[in-house]
Amino acid sequence: MRGELSREQFQILEFLIEREGTGNGGEAPPEQAGAGGGAAAGQERADGGDAPRRQTAEAAGTESAAWIAAGTGLSPEAVRRTVGELAGLGFLSAEPAGPGGGTAGGPFSEGPEGGPEDHEDVPAVTAAGRDAMEPYRVRRAVFIAAGFGSRLVPITLNTPKPLVRVCGKRIIDGLLDACLGAGIREIYIVRGYLAEQFDQLLYDYPMIRFLENPVYNEANNVSSAMCARHLMENAYVFEADLVLSNPGLIKPYHYASNFLAIKKDRTDDWCFEVEDGIIVEEKVGGVDCWQLVGISYWDREDGRKLAEDIKEVYASPGGKERYWEQVPLVFRKEHYRVEIRECYDEDIVEIDTFRELKAIDKTYDV
């Protein structure tokens, strides 16, 4: 989603909202409206001069600017400039966030290198600033979970792969918990193989809605994407068989469509070639490449295009044999600019075989 915010503005607002601890649920605490949102933000907009911008830029002192820079990857100079821009728009309060960081809504969590000692010079995001982030909010999550999981036989003979327990927890549970932690409660699961077993999830996750894939055993996972093709705007799309160790990968906001991947010197797995942060090729095996991780995000514009492109590719000769992500990354890649989002081996793992499952969970090694 490329809206009114520049990327730098988005990065700083996202960072500050996350550190205030109110980004996940969506609403700013009521006390914040008087400390920089609501009327205060409106007053800053009405003034229209340089005073709020100058005051807030000055409030973001050297220590806090360095702290924000470390958390966003921006230079301290870019931070100070962008904080001034956001203040001029009424998106940051001219009042510092206050002792302990944040406003009355709660302290800042420790940021990079612990953050400033007292956070007294960290500006607060106003209600208007939070409103400006809403076009970038993740609205829903779609799980592709219809397949058989043949490589995990014999376990999958009686249990769909996403429901297999690893160290006592269902594989899909970690992904669902991460979604809820990011404030994503509109959740769809496309099911097929042993579909009725997924009903057990409703005891712990009653918000789940199921989509049925009647041809899961006749087509590749593009058939599951067909079932959910109208739900991909501002949406995560998950392969449902990933063991997630770092729930922080699932975020409440994204600036643009992206795919998670791990930088590799060499891999025999599915991978991406990347130029200037944009995926230009998907292939099997490569050197100095990015290994695909089955979690992607699609902004509003790209989600709308996917609804049509998935349908067209599925109906084309050989279309039913495609993997769903080949639609935007291979067969209709001229329609998309998908960014890479880096993660690491320790963050997430796909258990492909029974041997790998036994290596992770010794209870299966009998």
Side-chain angles (χ1 to χ4, degrees), residues 65-260:
W67 177 64
I68 295 171
T72 59
L74 301 173
S75 69
E77 293 76 13
V79 168
R80 284 190 285 270
R81 182 188 70 250
T82 307
V83 164
E85 295 170 356
L86 291 168
L89 292 166
F91 296 163
L92 291 180
S93 173
E95 294 294 327
T103 58
F108 279 82
S109 61
E110 287 194 356
E113 301 179 359
E117 291 183 1
D118 54 17
H119 302 296
E120 289 185 356
D121 58 354
V122 176
V125 180
T126 66
R130 292 173 182 277
D131 288 344
M133 288 290 285
E134 281 305 299
Y136 306 92
R137 181 178 289 280
V138 181
R139 301 295 175 187
R140 62 189 60 86
V142 174
F143 287 81
I144 304 297
F148 171 47
S150 59
R151 289 184 291 177
L152 212 57
V153 168
I155 299 299
T156 50
L157 291 175
N158 299 304
T159 305
K161 187 177 177 183
L163 303 181
V164 170
R165 292 186 179 269
V166 178
C167 300
K169 186 175 182 178
R170 291 173 302 219
I171 290 175
I172 199 173
D173 284 4
L175 299 169
L176 291 169
D177 290 341
C179 286
L180 296 180
I184 305 165
R185 299 187 61 83
E186 185 179 336
I187 298 173
Y188 300 88
I189 295 179
V190 185
R191 61 183 181 176
Y193 175 65
L194 297 178
E196 69 284 351
Q197 290 198 23
F198 285 90
D199 289 345
Q200 66 183 269
L201 294 173
L202 295 174
Y203 291 101
D204 297 313
Y205 309 100
M207 74 292 298
I208 288 174
R209 284 174 265 186
F210 294 115
L211 304 174
E212 312 298 335
N213 180 353
V215 296
Y216 72 90
N217 59 345
E218 302 172 14
N220 216 323
N221 70 6
V222 68
S223 62
S224 291
M226 272 289 291
C227 299
R229 68 186 186 278
H230 294 298
L231 298 169
M232 293 188 176
E233 298 177 26
N234 296 97
Y236 273 116
V237 179
F238 291 89
E239 293 181 10
D241 57 357
L242 301 168
V243 179
L244 181 66
S245 301
N246 179 9
L249 288 176
I250 309 307
K251 295 181 173 293
Y253 303 101
H254 282 285
Y255 191 72
S257 300
N258 61 75
F259 230 107
L260 274 176

Side-chain angles (χ1 to χ4, degrees), residues 263-282:
K263 189 73 175 73
K264 293 288 185 180
D265 293 329
R266 176 187 176 91
T267 182
D268 294 323
D269 211 332
W270 285 92
C271 60
F272 303 133
E273 292 289 337
V274 174
E275 294 180 3
D276 298 323
I278 302 297
I279 298 171
V280 295
E281 183 183 0
E282 183 188 28

Side-chain angles (χ1 to χ4, degrees), residues 33 53 65 72 85 98 134-135 141 152 201 220 224-225 237 261 276 301 306 313 331 333 342 360 362-363:
R53 179 183 309 189
T72 59
E85 295 170 356
E134 281 305 299
L152 212 57
L201 294 173
N220 216 323
S224 291
V237 179
D276 298 323
E301 179 183 350
L306 279 170
V313 171
F331 297 104
K333 67 179 182 180
E342 185 170 15
I360 293 175
K362 298 301 182 183
T363 61

